[in-house]
């Protein structure tokens, strides 16, 4: 059963899609965990034009800079990105006539960097510092670039309230409209925590009884996490972001990179949805939580991005074996109904 959101597509006067996002449909994932009885729904934000939910974020961030008079016609935008926001900003800056410089690190997806360059962006890659904190190195490089060009501005995704505002005004209200009621539990992946915070703001504003589950990477600094080496971009952060200080998830689930890969494979093989590592992490978190949930619960997840940029990594067996700890777990058989619960002997129906 698929629920389609009936909001109008945002259009410019010419009738073309605006420099922004599309409302996306919600679909029920009946095959993901067969026999569980708990309804699981996914909001398909990988259908955005640049392939991720960051299309919403990019529009909100750019609109804010224009509204404040900081971004002038023909100006340049600079941002630190692991891929998704960079692709969305590159696309929208190209469409709106702005320059864009993306500051990335050694873990950035090659396909994401090529996509940004295809839209005309300049990609600046920073070396991994001795302490391994690539995120801090990117942020410092952004500051250097802004100092070099007084006309350049940054969208500052880690602390800009226009980041969560995008999701408070579009993502969460769309999801609830599609479902016809707020879900009892919503799983959102975290990096800047802008998406999670925006969903939280909508829940608090409307008085919805949705439990918010923040899904994080093992090795991320968010919410008191212990920093460790991470191979997959787009989930987790090297420091507590300014936005995360305002975020209050009801639960935080930390997921290993092996479990992320397994979750991505499960989503692709059972539901035909090719999603990025953060969505695989959410699948793993839901799988672990399922035994505690009741048949009256409605579970929803956001598919943050498409898996296309992850074909050389998450979906490449040789790469997983070379780079991911517990590769045997990551690439193990998927025949148990719920591969994330130990001893689940039930097989797929």
């Amino acid at each position: 059963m698929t629920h389609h959101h009936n909001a109008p597509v945002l259009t410019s006067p010419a009738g073309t899609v605006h420099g922004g996002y599309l409302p996306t449909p919600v679909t029920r994932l009946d095959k993901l965990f067969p026999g569980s009885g708990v309804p699981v729904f996914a909001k398909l934000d990988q259908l955005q034009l640049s392939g991720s939910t960051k299309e919403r974020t990019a529009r909100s961030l750019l609109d804010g800079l224009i509204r404040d008079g900081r971004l002038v016609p023909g100006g340049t935008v600079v941002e630190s990105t692991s891929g998704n926001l960079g692709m969305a900003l590159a696309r929208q800056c190209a469409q709106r006539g702005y320059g864009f410089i993306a500051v990335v690190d050694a873990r950035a997806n090659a396909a994401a960097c090529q996509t940004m360059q295809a839209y005309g962006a300049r990609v600046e890659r920073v070396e991994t510092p001795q302490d391994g904190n690539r995120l801090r190195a990117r942020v410092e490089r952004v500051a250097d670039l802004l100092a070099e060009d007084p006309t350049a501005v940054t969208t500052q995704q880690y602390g800009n309230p226009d980041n969560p505002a995008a999701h408070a005004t579009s993502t969460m209200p769309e999801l609830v409209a599609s479902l016809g009621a707020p879900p009892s539990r919503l799983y959102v992946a975290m990096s800047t925590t802008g998406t999670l915070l925006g969903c939280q703001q909508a829940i608090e504003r409307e008085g919805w009884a949705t439990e918010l589950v923040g899904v994080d990477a093992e090795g991320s600094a968010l919410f008191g996490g212990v920093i460790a080496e991470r191979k997959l971009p787009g989930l987790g952060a090297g420091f507590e972001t300014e936005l995360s200080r305002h975020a209050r998830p009801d639960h935080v689930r930390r997921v290993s990179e092996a479990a992320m890969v397994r979750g991505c494979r499960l989503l692709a093989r059972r539901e035909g949805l090719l999603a990025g590592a953060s969505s695989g992490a959410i699948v793993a978190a839901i799988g672990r939580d399922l035994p505690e949930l009741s048949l009256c619960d409605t579970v929803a997840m956001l598919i943050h991005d498409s898996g296309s940029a992850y074909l050389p990594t998450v979906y490449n067996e040789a790469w997983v074996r070379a780079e991911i700890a517990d590769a045997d777990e990551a690439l193990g058989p998927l025949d148990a109904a719920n591969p994330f619960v130990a001893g689940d002997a039930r097989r797929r129906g």
Side-chain angles (χ1 to χ4, degrees), residues 25-59:
V26 170
T27 190
R28 183 166 173 164
L29 304 179
D30 283 324
K31 298 174 184 150
L32 190 60
F33 296 110
S36 81
V38 178
V40 179
F41 295 89
K43 183 162 180 57
L44 306 179
D45 248 26
Q46 80 274 33
L47 299 178
Q48 298 294 348
L49 288 174
S50 63
S52 87
T53 197
K54 292 295 178 73
E55 195 75 64
R56 301 172 188 270
T57 313
R59 180 189 171 185

Side-chain angles (χ1 to χ4, degrees), residues 44-91:
L44 306 179
D45 248 26
Q46 80 274 33
L47 299 178
Q48 298 294 348
L49 288 174
S50 63
S52 87
T53 197
K54 292 295 178 73
E55 195 75 64
R56 301 172 188 270
T57 313
R59 180 189 171 185
S60 185
L61 292 171
L62 290 175
D63 283 355
L65 289 175
I66 295 163
R67 182 184 65 238
D68 296 343
R70 295 179 56 213
L71 180 56
V72 297
T76 298
V77 176
V78 185
E79 183 57 285
S80 152
T81 172
S82 62
N84 285 331
L85 183 63
M87 288 189 286
L89 283 171
R91 191 192 79 74

Side-chain angles (χ1 to χ4, degrees), residues 200-235:
Q200 173 188 308
Q201 289 169 350
I203 289 166
E204 291 173 349
R205 181 185 70 226
E206 301 296 336
W208 290 327
T210 300
E211 279 186 42
L212 198 51
V213 184
V215 179
D216 196 13
E218 289 182 0
S220 161
L222 294 171
F223 301 103
V226 178
I227 298 177
E229 176 70 2
R230 292 176 289 121
K231 302 293 180 74
L232 292 167
L235 184 67

